[in-house]
Amino acid sequence: NIFRTTQAALAGTTVVTNNNNTYAGDWRVDSGFIRFSNAAQLGTLTTANSLKGNGGTFDIKGRTETLGAFTLTNGTLTDGAAVGSKGLLKAASYAVSNGTINAVIADGPGGPSAMTKTTSGHLWINTTNTYTGGTNLVDGRIYAGADGTLGTGILTLTGGRLMSNGATDRTF
């Protein structure tokens, strides 16, 4: 087993494991890189668990993960699988601040799920996402790197800026 604590926190570590894990709590990635190649290695994620990115990278590597809440304070959510083998992150809610999303995010348990960005800072989203609960931009900037970056649903802008990450116009 890798972790048996209330919250598994990784800092400055690369974890790629072939061992099964019985950990059943929340995950927090503070720095470094974490990737598991099958569900038994990640332990048991349930709709009560959360994944918090405070720095570093979490790679879903072609898997579909379902959890209660996803928070990205700083860092990267990615999917390192080959094209045609990509997975999904399905969370009941998405709270984002700074960082990069290079993995498809979708409606989670009890969907539809919404994304909310409430702090200054920059968020780059480079995938076409399928969540349907809308996007709330309160502060900071969201840079869209693909059409459909903000899923579907209502886009609510009460502050901040929504921008393309280059010279290409985007469809939201």
Side-chain angles (χ1 to χ4, degrees):
N1 293 325
I2 299 170
F3 300 106
R4 284 186 178 214
T5 60
T6 304
Q7 185 175 65
L10 301 173
T13 307
T14 299
V15 176
V16 180
T17 180
N18 293 321
N19 298 321
N20 289 343
N21 184 15
T22 58
Y23 177 74
D26 295 337
W27 284 92
R28 188 182 80 229
V29 181
D30 290 332
S31 66
F33 181 89
I34 183 169
R35 176 188 337 140
F36 297 105
S37 60
N38 71 49
Q41 294 164 358
L42 185 57
T44 304
L45 278 180
T46 69
T47 58
N49 296 128
S50 67
L51 173 61
K52 297 175 183 172
N54 294 324
T57 300
F58 187 88
D59 183 357
I60 63 173
K61 187 75 171 158
R63 298 179 20 197
T64 295
E65 294 295 346
T66 302
L67 56 132
F70 174 74
T71 303
L72 183 65
T73 304
N74 199 8
T76 301
L77 171 68
T78 195
D79 186 344
V83 174
S85 299
K86 300 287 186 182
L88 296 170
L89 182 67
K90 297 170 142 187
S93 65
Y94 297 95
V96 295
S97 297
N98 293 311
T100 304
I101 297 175
N102 292 323
V104 175
I105 57 178
D107 289 332
S113 302
M115 176 188 292
T116 302
K117 183 174 186 333
T118 57
T119 61
S120 64
H122 301 249
L123 176 69
W124 286 265
I125 306 175
N126 300 307
T127 51
T128 299
N129 294 301
T130 61
Y131 66 93
T132 62
T135 301
N136 304 301
L137 178 54
V138 177
D139 197 2
R141 292 182 181 187
I142 295 177
Y143 293 91
D147 290 342
T149 292
L150 303 179
T152 60
I154 296 173
L155 171 61
T156 305
L157 297 169
T158 56
R161 292 184 180 180
L162 177 60
M163 308 171 79
S164 175
N165 71 346
T168 304
D169 290 339
R170 299 290 177 205
T171 302
F172 297 107

